[in-house]
């Protein structure tokens, strides 16, 4: 598995996309810090970007990589290697290279701007950790889709739709749900609804750590109680982890039964 | 000769009264109470360093001056009120008063002043008190350079730092108040000034007005209180150059206005409060040259407000600039700077060419259903805000700043 992971990783490195992705974040980090001159302001803006962009890039990269390396995968399948190792290796290879680009791309500018002296270091690390989580989640989800559809167009279409669903449509539906039940006590509903979507969960998690947390007002009491406590922190990370593990598990199951 | 005698007769008491009484643990007069009993009008009582376990020290004579040397400590032993003044023209300074009695039925204070005129309290340190200074039915008093603190946890069992009731022409300046219920509480207080105070970490309000007219507070800092300042049922209040900082929390405000008429609010800084100003039922108020920075809501208007004017304020990086309920009611926004304004200025006169709408759709939705705040800063919310900005449907279309400033309005020089 490690060998395949290495191949996938180097393959992506050679294709230069990881560099471009890395350079994009590097430029973004430097520009934002240059514009704001204030780490905490930059953290909020970067949060907005990470929450939209990492899932999108993860989804597209995952699908693209699967379809691109299909022939190589078939070649590997003809060898005496476990299917589990092939697909897990590929998945982790892609996700790790993307996560690394994100981590280094944003990490370097912030470190050079004196992050270690700033009190924002925890918020920033939380931001990076959730970014890495989101990358792993969305690469896994897109791999699932790609495995399910041999038709590239269909696969791509559904992958984009998947991203659109989690980034936009889910919130829309959630908002409608909240508005239509606004006569009832819905803070629990709001809590559950926001923790089921990994993007929403990451957003709430970061916002609660930032200064704007008190904005959540009296509804926020429930949120703070839940996310602010260590059990809340642990359970929300457990949820994010579940979002990684379940799709990965399905990749393995699907790939085992798939007829290539 | 006769006139000289008369003159002597008049002047003699003055000379005679200018005596000084020293109180110290080893002196002939070792108790403050005894010293007070010995004192005549016009006397100076000097309390030397040491600890005095006394309470209910009553001063009914006029013209008494009490001065602490080497910061003597007066321990109320958690029984009752410590000093009780009811004479006029007194001064009190240089003492440290600790352990004032605690009660749910009586308002024990470190210094209680009733029916006094022209008094001055200076340089006092009050610790673990119930009420700090409790002033009733008095005029022309000064409280300055004092530090009042306590370690209260719940609102019902806590007292106020400076509590003034039914008084006028008071000056409260340069004090540090923390850990109390309200830092300063004013009820039926007229023509008074609060300046340069630092009120922080109080359970309820930093400064609290009730039924008090023609007062003024300026250059104060209200930090990290339950809510910064509450002004209720008062007229003609001037609020200027204050800093409202970090009044964070569920339903916490920098400044709460309720049933206020004809007030001036200018040159204040509102930084990182959950709600900068919460306005309810207030009329004819001018807000000018204030800075609202990094607040949750900069201004929340809750209805029944008429003729409020917002001129030349800076709204910088607030999550919501304005939240508005009810009709526009001739409230006016003009020439403010909004950091989220994206318009242009073709004729270069520093006034934006297209009007700015400070109410976003999302802030309207949050008003209706507070729970939707969980969607703050999500992509979907940005999209609906944008579409609402392009074609306003829900937000009041006459709530606009027709001439938004292109650059932040510079701070005025203190007058």
């Amino acid at each position: 598995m490690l060998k395949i992971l290495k191949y996938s990783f180097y393959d992506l490195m050679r294709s230069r996309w990881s560099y471009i992705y890395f350079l994009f974040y590097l430029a973004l980090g430097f520009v934002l810090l240059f514009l704001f001159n204030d780490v905490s302001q930059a953290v909020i803006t970067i949060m907005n970007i990470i929450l939209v962009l990492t899932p999108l890039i993860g989804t597209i990269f995952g699908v693209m990589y699967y379809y691109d390396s299909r022939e190589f995968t078939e070649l590997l399948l003809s060898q005496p290697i476990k299917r589990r190792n092939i697909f897990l290796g590929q998945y982790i290879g892609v996700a790790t290279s993307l996560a690394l680009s994100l981590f280094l791309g944003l990490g370097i500018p912030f470190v050079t701007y004196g992050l270690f002296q700033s009190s924002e270091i925890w918020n920033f690390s939380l931001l990076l950790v959730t970014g890495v989580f989101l990358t792993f989640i969305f690469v896994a989800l897109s791999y699932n889709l790609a495995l399910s559809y041999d038709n590239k167009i269909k696969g791509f279409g559904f992958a984009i739709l998947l991203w659109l669903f989690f980034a936009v449509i889910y919130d829309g539906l959630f908002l409608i749900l909240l508005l239509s039940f606004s006569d009832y006590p819905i803070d629990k509903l709001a809590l559950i609804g926001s923790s089921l979507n990994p993007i929403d969960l990451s957003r709430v998690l970061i916002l609660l750590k930032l200064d704007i947390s008190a904005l959540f007002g009296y509804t926020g009491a429930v949120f703070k109680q839940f996310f602010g406590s260590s059990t809340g922190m642990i359970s929300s990370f457990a949820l994010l982890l579940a979002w990684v593990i379940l799709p990965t598990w399905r990749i393995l199951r699907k790939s085992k039964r798939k007829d290539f | 000769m006769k006139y000289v005698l008369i003159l002597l007769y008049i002047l003699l008491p003055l000379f005679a009264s200018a005596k000084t009484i020293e109180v110290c643990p080893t002196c002939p007069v070792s108790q403050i109470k005894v010293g007070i009993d010995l004192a005549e009008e016009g006397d100076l009582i000097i309390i030397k360093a040491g600890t005095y376990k006394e309470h209910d020290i009553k001063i009914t004579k006029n013209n008494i001056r009490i001065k602490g040397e080497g910061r003597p400590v007066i321990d109320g032993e958690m029984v009752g009120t410590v000093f009780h003044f009811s004479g006029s023209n007194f001064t009190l300074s240089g003492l440290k008063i600790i352990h004032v009695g605690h009660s749910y039925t009586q308002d024990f204070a470190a210094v209680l002043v009733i029916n006094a005129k022209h008094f001055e309290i200076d340089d006092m340190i009050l610790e673990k008190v119930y009420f700090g200074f409790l002033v009733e039915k008095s005029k022309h008093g000064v409280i300055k350079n004092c530090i009042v603190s306590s370690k209260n946890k719940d609102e019902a069992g806590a007292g106020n730092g400076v509590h003034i009731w039914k008084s006028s022409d008071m000056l409260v300046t340069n004090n540090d108040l923390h850990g109390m219920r309200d830092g300063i509480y004013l009820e039926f207080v007229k023509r008074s000034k609060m300046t340069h105070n630092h009120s922080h970490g109080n359970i309820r309000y930093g400064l609290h007005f009730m039924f008090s007219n023609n007062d003024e507070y300026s250059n104060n800092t209200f930090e990290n209180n339950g809510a910064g300042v509450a002004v209720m049922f008062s007229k003609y209040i001037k609020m200027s150059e204050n800093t409202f900082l970090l009044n964070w929390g569920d339903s916490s405000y920098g400044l709460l206005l309720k049933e206020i008429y004809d007030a001036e609010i200018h040159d204040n800084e509102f930084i990182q409060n959950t709600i900068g100003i919460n306005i309810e039922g207030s009329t004819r108020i001018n807000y000018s040259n204030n800075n609202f920075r990094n607040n949750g809501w900069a201004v929340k208007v809750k209805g029944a407000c008429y003729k409020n004017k917002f001129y030349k304020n800076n709204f910088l990086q607030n999550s919501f600039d304005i939240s508005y309920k009810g009709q526009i009611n001739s409230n006016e926004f003009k020439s403010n700077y909004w950091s989220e304004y994206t318009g242009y200025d073709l004729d270069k006169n520093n006034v934006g060419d297209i009007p700015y709408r400070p109410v976003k759709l999302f802030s309207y939705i949050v008003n209706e259903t507070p729970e939707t705040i969980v969607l703050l800063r999500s992509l979907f919310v940005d999209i609906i805000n944008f579409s609402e900005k392009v074609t306003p449907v829900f937000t009041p279309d006459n709530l606009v700043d027709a001439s938004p400033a292109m650059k932040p309005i510079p701070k005025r020089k203190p007058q």
Side-chain angles (χ1 to χ4, degrees):
Chain A
M1 189 183 94
L2 273 175
K3 204 155 234 172
I4 292 171
L5 194 158
K6 214 171 79 184
Y7 275 125
S8 299
F9 189 81
Y10 282 124
D11 191 24
L12 272 165
M13 285 291 156
R14 228 174 303 137
S15 75
R16 286 199 293 271
W17 276 108
S18 317
Y19 290 117
I20 292 173
Y21 190 49
F22 163 71
L23 286 176
F24 166 75
Y25 273 124
L26 196 71
L28 182 82
F30 273 118
V31 166
L32 281 180
L33 283 169
F34 176 71
L35 283 179
F36 286 114
N37 238 332
D38 173 18
V39 178
S40 63
Q41 274 295 319
V43 164
I44 292 179
T45 311
I46 283 183
M47 181 198 79
N48 287 342
I49 292 166
I50 280 190
L51 289 182
V52 174
L53 222 55
T54 43
L56 180 64
I57 301 282
T59 315
I60 291 178
F61 249 72
V63 176
M64 222 162 65
Y65 188 80
Y66 176 82
Y67 287 130
D68 257 12
S69 62
R70 202 184 144 87
E71 280 157 19
F72 179 60
T73 314
E74 277 169 18
L75 181 76
L76 282 177
L77 285 169
S78 64
Q79 307 297 318
I81 310 171
K82 273 189 189 161
R83 280 190 169 193
R84 178 196 161 85
N85 287 352
I86 296 174
F87 288 97
L88 206 60
Q90 281 187 348
Y91 159 61
I92 295 176
V94 175
T96 318
S97 83
L98 287 179
L100 202 69
S101 299
L102 169 78
F103 203 81
L104 292 179
L106 283 181
I108 291 170
F110 273 80
V111 168
T112 51
Y113 264 76
L115 178 76
F116 290 118
Q117 282 89 42
S118 161
S119 55
E120 294 292 324
I121 182 151
W122 289 113
N123 294 338
F124 185 72
S125 358
L126 182 68
L127 197 67
L128 283 186
V129 169
T130 49
V132 169
F133 262 117
L134 285 177
T135 307
F136 272 90
I137 290 167
F138 279 86
V139 172
L141 288 174
S142 65
Y143 241 76
N144 264 304
L145 282 175
L147 271 168
S148 306
Y149 298 100
D150 280 338
N151 187 342
K152 269 189 194 180
I153 304 293
K154 242 184 178 173
F156 258 107
F158 277 114
I160 297 287
L161 203 66
L162 175 93
W163 170 77
L164 206 63
F165 176 77
F166 281 112
V168 183
I169 299 169
Y170 182 90
D171 288 348
L173 294 175
F174 186 32
L175 184 64
I176 291 168
L177 191 74
L178 286 179
L179 286 180
S180 47
F181 286 101
S182 58
D183 293 340
Y184 300 92
I186 48 172
D187 34 7
K188 286 260 164 59
L189 179 74
L191 183 74
I192 294 165
S194 57
S195 46
L196 286 184
N197 178 349
I199 298 182
D200 276 348
L201 182 63
S202 319
R203 185 170 45 77
V204 172
L205 215 58
I206 297 166
L207 282 186
L208 278 173
K209 283 288 151 202
L210 293 178
D211 272 350
I212 25 183
S213 60
L215 258 195
F216 284 94
Y218 50 83
T219 15
V222 183
F223 278 86
K224 255 195 215 154
Q225 243 171 29
F226 181 68
F227 291 114
S229 65
S230 52
T231 42
M233 243 348 193
I234 290 164
S235 50
S236 36
F237 274 115
L239 263 170
L240 284 177
L241 207 63
W243 268 105
V244 179
I245 290 167
L246 286 178
T248 314
W249 173 72
R250 196 174 170 274
I251 290 175
L252 298 179
R253 218 179 69 132
K254 192 86 192 168
S255 60
K256 208 177 276 174
R257 294 177 190 180
K258 192 171 160 75
D259 193 12
F260 282 90
Chain B
M1 192 59 201
K2 203 167 88 182
Y3 292 112
V4 174
L5 271 178
I6 291 171
L7 201 66
L8 265 179
Y9 188 71
I10 295 169
L11 290 179
L12 207 59
L14 286 182
F15 292 121
S17 66
K19 78 175 186 287
T20 301
I21 299 168
E22 282 198 1
V23 181
C24 68
T26 52
C27 296
V29 182
S30 64
Q31 273 194 310
I32 301 170
K33 261 186 205 165
V34 178
I36 300 281
D37 287 340
L38 288 174
E40 301 288 325
E41 291 198 358
D43 282 359
L44 172 66
I45 299 167
I46 291 180
I47 303 172
K48 299 267 172 156
T51 302
Y52 303 84
K53 300 206 167 178
E54 290 186 59
H55 54 86
D56 287 312
I57 305 167
K58 290 200 168 107
I59 300 109
T60 49
K61 293 166 195 144
N62 294 329
N63 253 327
I64 298 287
R65 289 171 292 156
I66 300 176
K67 198 178 163 196
E69 273 186 11
R71 190 71 66 193
V73 177
I74 294 146
D75 188 341
E77 294 183 289
M78 308 298 292
V79 181
T81 292
V82 176
F83 279 101
H84 187 299
F85 286 95
S86 50
S88 288
N89 290 320
F90 70 85
T91 65
L92 177 67
S93 65
L95 305 178
K96 177 174 181 173
I97 301 175
I98 58 173
H99 299 141
V100 170
H102 207 91
S103 162
Y104 284 92
T105 51
Q106 274 174 290
D107 294 342
F108 293 132
V111 178
L112 172 66
V113 180
I114 297 179
N115 275 327
K117 283 176 196 168
H118 301 285
F119 62 88
E120 189 178 304
I121 297 172
D122 188 5
D123 187 29
M124 300 281 288
I125 296 175
L126 313 186
E127 274 173 21
K128 289 189 187 153
V129 293
Y130 183 42
F131 278 78
F133 300 101
L134 183 52
V135 180
E136 296 178 1
K137 293 184 261 184
S138 300
K139 282 176 187 169
H140 300 284
V142 179
I143 298 173
K144 61 181 182 182
N145 308 327
C146 298
I147 301 170
V148 184
S149 68
S150 199
K151 282 181 181 151
N152 288 309
K153 291 275 182 298
D154 69 317
E155 201 175 285
N160 304 321
V162 176
H163 183 120
I164 306 177
W165 181 72
K166 222 175 170 184
S167 300
S168 66
D169 305 286
M170 304 290 297
L171 173 65
V172 180
T173 183
N174 238 333
N175 301 295
D176 184 295
L177 313 140
H178 59 98
M180 310 299 295
R181 181 170 62 190
D182 292 345
I184 304 173
Y185 179 90
L186 309 173
E187 195 171 346
F188 304 108
V189 175
K190 283 181 269 181
R191 298 184 299 277
S192 296
K193 275 187 187 179
M194 264 53 63
T195 62
H196 297 99
N197 297 296
H198 186 204
S199 190
H200 55 107
N202 296 299
I203 301 170
R204 200 167 63 180
Y205 302 121
L207 170 61
H208 190 177
F209 282 86
M210 293 290 265
F211 313 104
S212 296
N213 304 333
N214 300 85
D215 295 311
E216 188 180 331
Y217 67 93
S218 57
N219 294 301
N220 300 292
T221 303
F222 304 101
E223 193 176 343
N224 207 1
N225 299 298
V229 175
V231 185
M232 302 185 186
F233 309 100
S234 301
K235 292 174 196 165
Y236 307 105
I237 306 272
K238 264 190 195 167
M239 324 175 196
S240 61
E241 294 173 63
N242 300 294
T243 306
F244 302 80
L245 198 65
L246 283 168
N247 294 296
W248 269 128
D250 313 332
S251 72
S252 183
Y253 325 99
L255 172 59
L256 168 69
L257 302 177
K258 195 170 177 147
E259 299 292 326
I260 301 299
Y261 300 93
D262 306 287
E264 296 284 336
I265 301 173
H266 61 88
D267 297 287
N268 298 293
E269 299 268 347
F270 296 86
I271 302 168
Q272 293 191 10
N273 304 291
T274 303
I275 300 170
I277 308 186
N278 191 68
I279 310 163
E280 220 176 318
S282 300
T283 298
R284 291 187 300 279
I285 297 175
N286 297 326
Y287 309 79
S288 59
N289 293 76
N290 300 296
N291 279 339
F292 298 90
R293 199 185 292 271
N294 295 341
N295 299 292
W297 285 266
V299 175
K300 206 168 192 177
V301 182
K302 282 199 171 159
C305 298
Y306 298 85
K307 290 188 176 170
N308 288 285
K309 287 179 182 167
F310 293 84
Y311 289 171
K312 293 190 172 178
N313 301 291
N314 288 319
F315 291 87
L316 309 162
Q317 287 100 34
N318 303 296
S319 290
F320 303 101
D321 287 331
I322 310 278
S323 151
Y324 201 94
K325 247 184 193 165
Q327 300 291 311
I328 186 78
N329 291 343
S330 62
N331 294 320
E332 226 183 317
F333 293 89
K334 219 166 119 185
S335 308
N336 299 293
Y337 173 77
W338 313 85
S339 62
E340 294 203 11
Y341 181 61
T342 50
Y344 44 80
D345 176 25
L346 287 182
D347 50 3
K348 301 281 177 206
N349 61 349
N350 267 336
V351 176
D353 293 346
I354 47 174
Y356 178 72
R357 296 177 187 282
V359 180
K360 291 180 200 162
L361 177 60
F362 187 53
S363 107
Y364 172 82
I365 291 172
V366 171
N367 245 346
E368 300 291 312
T369 317
E371 284 84 359
T372 53
I373 191 82
V374 269
L375 291 169
L376 181 75
R377 284 178 195 276
S378 73
L379 185 59
F380 180 74
V381 163
D382 289 346
I383 293 170
I384 60 167
N385 273 342
F386 179 73
S387 66
E388 176 73 13
K389 199 170 112 186
V390 179
T391 48
V393 180
F394 298 99
T395 48
D397 58 344
N398 45 1
L399 199 143
V400 289
D401 188 334
S403 52
M406 291 303 288
K407 283 179 188 159
I409 288 131
K411 214 174 153 74
R412 289 195 295 198
K413 286 202 178 98
Q415 290 142 351

